[in-house]
Amino acid sequence: MKGDSSYHECRHPIGVVCRRTGLKPDLLRAWEKRFGAVRPGRSSANLRLYSDADIEKLQLLHGAIRGGRRIGQIATLTPEELEAMACCPGEEFTPAPAKEEL
């Protein structure tokens, strides 16, 4: 559940993430380092640990890439923006401007 605190808890190793998303470990690490697609936590042994939210975002990113999008243009979009983009394949997508704080 998205509202559940465990949804954002980092607990999945990279092998689980790769199986669930279809991404190769090297590609996943490149998306993290070069584009900041997700920011996994670290275990006490310094191994990457991903949350359910990370996995969901990576699945959305992977789908968008398969649909012809470029990772450099979409890596920092929110899951909500990625879902909205998926509703309109082939159309130019412009994320909503950030709300200014008063």
Side-chain angles (χ1 to χ4, degrees):
M1 234 163 107
K2 291 182 183 182
D4 185 3
S5 63
S6 65
Y7 182 74
H8 294 284
E9 191 176 304
C10 297
R11 61 179 178 235
H12 304 290
I14 197 167
V16 169
V17 177
C18 291
R19 281 191 298 279
R20 290 188 183 174
T21 62
L23 298 169
K24 302 274 186 205
D26 292 343
L27 181 63
L28 178 52
R29 287 189 291 267
W31 284 9
E32 291 170 20
K33 290 178 187 174
R34 293 183 66 197
F35 304 106
V38 292
R39 300 198 188 287
R42 294 285 179 161
S43 71
S44 58
N46 204 32
L47 299 174
R48 288 174 169 82
L49 292 175
Y50 299 83
S51 68
D52 291 336
D54 291 334
I55 292 173
E56 178 185 335
K57 182 174 181 183
L58 289 165
Q59 289 169 331
L60 291 166
L61 286 169
H62 193 202
I65 297 300
R66 287 191 312 253
R69 305 290 179 162
R70 292 176 40 202
I71 188 65
Q73 296 174 324
I74 62 170
T76 58
L77 295 179
T78 65
E80 293 79 16
E81 290 170 325
L82 289 165
E83 286 174 0
M85 184 179 59
C87 293
C88 309
E91 292 183 22
E92 189 64 31
F93 179 78
T94 305
K99 293 181 181 177
E100 293 183 26
E101 293 188 34
L102 301 174

